[in-house]
Amino acid sequence: MNIRKLSALVLVAVMLLSFAACTGANTADNTTEPVTQRELVKGTQVNIAMLKGPTGIGAAKLMSDLDSSKTDNKYQFTLSTDPTEITSGIISGSFDIAACPLNLASVLYNKTEGKVQILAVNTLGTLYILSNDASVKSIADLAGKTVVAAGQGATPEYVLNYLLEKNGIADKVTVEYKSEHSEVATLAASGSASIVLLPEPNVTSVLLQNNSFSVAVDLSKEFEKASGVSLAMGCVIARKDFVENNPDAIEIFMSEYKASIDYAASNLDDTAALCETYGIIPKAAVAKKAIPNCNITFVSGEEMKKVVTENLTVLAAANPASVGGKLPADDFWYGIK
């Protein structure tokens, strides 16, 4: 074999080897596809804290999807009844994302010197005055009476105080605070309290147990009447460093969380069952009656900024400490340039 023929054979062999290398995945029926950005972040660990009750309802389907391996992020959920656990978890870095009372988002922003961002509003008004006294039909009717409530140092206290002041009866109403909404609900259900301030689903729980009680005042309507803005109760926040370091994972969460909230709006029976399964609301029957009154929503971007600013402005005017001393700066808002 002469040199020219040998060289030609070597060239053909090299070409065949190169072709085989390029198509080897196909011959093994394992075609290599381009890796998308979404696939690159799939499995990102995201630690989320949710409060039991209304602010946690929107995550019920997301929790179910996680258990069914249908989520792109890898979520770790922590359910709590105490907002202070969320405060410590966000500050320590144990939680990346948290659902919490709206005013707590502002308090945390100020407490951490701007290290928290708000992603979306997830719950509008859920507060109601229940009474077995037929004479109580408005805020003004509370004059000279005692209201049993929980949520001292949080939204329920600030909203009630604001409405009492607006109606000129702040010094004419006695408010007895208990540590938990469940304790207030138990007192009402047993008849040991006549007038109570409660959020859903505790409202539904009381009404199911004691038919002498009824909804006397919808605080959302009273708040809007007094302030001119809709009452917003809950939101979703995130640590700013987590947002900056994991922008794609945050976008995936926003998409998956919104889908979960949308599911709750159109699948009441399934969502109620999931709330019981994951301990968000103890009983599916209670959840089914309560969810329509919980005003679960997903508001982000400019609309979120408008709703939140209006609410925080009202609360700050009533009590600056309720928002952490001052309103958040522009870097508080996620997704707004």
Side-chain angles (χ1 to χ4, degrees):
M1 182 180 295
N2 60 37
I3 295 298
R4 179 175 295 179
K5 288 183 179 180
L6 180 59
S7 298
L9 289 173
V10 170
L11 179 59
V12 169
V14 170
M15 291 175 67
L16 288 172
L17 287 172
S18 298
F19 180 76
C22 291
T23 61
N26 286 331
T27 59
D29 196 25
N30 185 25
T31 303
T32 302
E33 297 290 343
V35 179
T36 66
Q37 188 63 24
R38 192 175 182 89
E39 289 170 333
L40 286 172
V41 298
K42 187 171 183 178
T44 298
Q45 179 70 42
V46 185
N47 297 315
I48 302 178
M50 291 278 171
L51 285 175
K52 295 182 179 181
T55 56
I57 292 171
K61 183 61 165 61
L62 183 57
M63 293 179 181
S64 175
D65 287 344
L66 174 66
D67 284 347
S68 301
S69 301
K70 295 178 181 178
T71 62
D72 282 351
N73 285 330
K74 182 181 179 182
Y75 300 110
Q76 177 67 49
F77 285 97
T78 298
L79 278 174
S80 174
T81 59
D82 187 357
T84 60
E85 292 183 16
I86 288 177
T87 298
S88 60
I90 287 290
I91 291 175
S92 69
S94 299
F95 301 141
D96 306 312
I97 295 173
C100 68
L102 185 65
N103 72 298
L104 181 57
S106 180
V107 170
L108 277 169
Y109 173 88
N110 286 311
K111 190 177 183 69
T112 61
E113 299 182 342
K115 295 179 181 179
V116 167
Q117 281 191 309
I118 183 168
L119 305 179
V121 172
N122 68 354
T123 317
L124 298 179
T126 66
L127 294 173
Y128 300 87
I129 296 285
L130 302 185
S131 178
N132 60 11
D133 182 345
S135 68
V136 178
K137 299 177 181 178
S138 68
I139 291 291
D141 294 333
L142 296 175
K145 301 184 184 299
T146 296
V147 178
V148 181
Q152 190 170 23
T155 303
E157 179 190 8
Y158 301 133
V159 170
L160 179 59
N161 287 348
Y162 172 75
L163 292 175
L164 295 178
E165 290 171 6
K166 281 291 185 178
N167 284 269
I169 59 171
D171 59 345
K172 299 177 182 178
V173 178
T174 300
V175 183
E176 293 183 0
Y177 282 101
K178 304 300 180 181
S179 59
E180 299 285 345
H181 294 303
S182 58
E183 181 181 358
V184 177
T186 298
L187 291 172
S190 67
S192 299
S194 295
I195 304 172
V196 297
L197 168 61
L198 284 169
E200 285 286 14
N202 303 94
V203 169
T204 295
S205 178
V206 170
L207 296 178
L208 288 173
Q209 296 179 70
N210 190 333
N211 59 16
S212 70
F213 273 83
S214 62
V215 174
V217 185
D218 182 339
L219 263 62
S220 297
K221 291 181 179 178
E222 293 295 324
F223 184 86
E224 188 166 0
K225 186 190 304 180
S227 67
V229 302
S230 298
L231 177 61
M233 294 286 295
C235 64
V236 182
I237 61 173
R239 294 191 348 263
K240 188 181 294 184
D241 61 339
F242 185 83
V243 173
E244 292 173 346
N245 293 329
N246 302 275
D248 297 296
I250 288 291
E251 283 298 305
I252 289 172
F253 165 76
M254 293 288 278
S255 175
E256 293 181 334
Y257 185 54
K258 183 180 185 303
S260 182
I261 288 176
D262 290 344
Y263 183 88
S266 56
N267 296 272
L268 179 58
D269 288 344
D270 288 349
T271 301
L274 290 173
C275 283
E276 179 176 334
T277 297
Y278 293 106
I280 298 168
I281 295 176
K283 298 295 183 182
V286 173
K288 184 176 179 178
K289 288 182 176 295
I291 289 171
N293 298 322
C294 288
N295 295 307
I296 306 304
T297 189
F298 184 90
V299 182
S300 59
E302 292 290 348
E303 186 180 357
M304 168 190 69
K305 181 178 180 180
K306 180 177 183 295
V307 170
V308 173
T309 299
E310 289 172 340
N311 275 262
L312 294 182
T313 298
V314 170
L315 292 176
N319 183 354
S322 68
V323 300
K326 60 182 179 180
L327 297 180
D330 288 343
D331 61 343
F332 180 56
W333 314 106
Y334 171 78
I336 300 176
K337 301 299 182 181

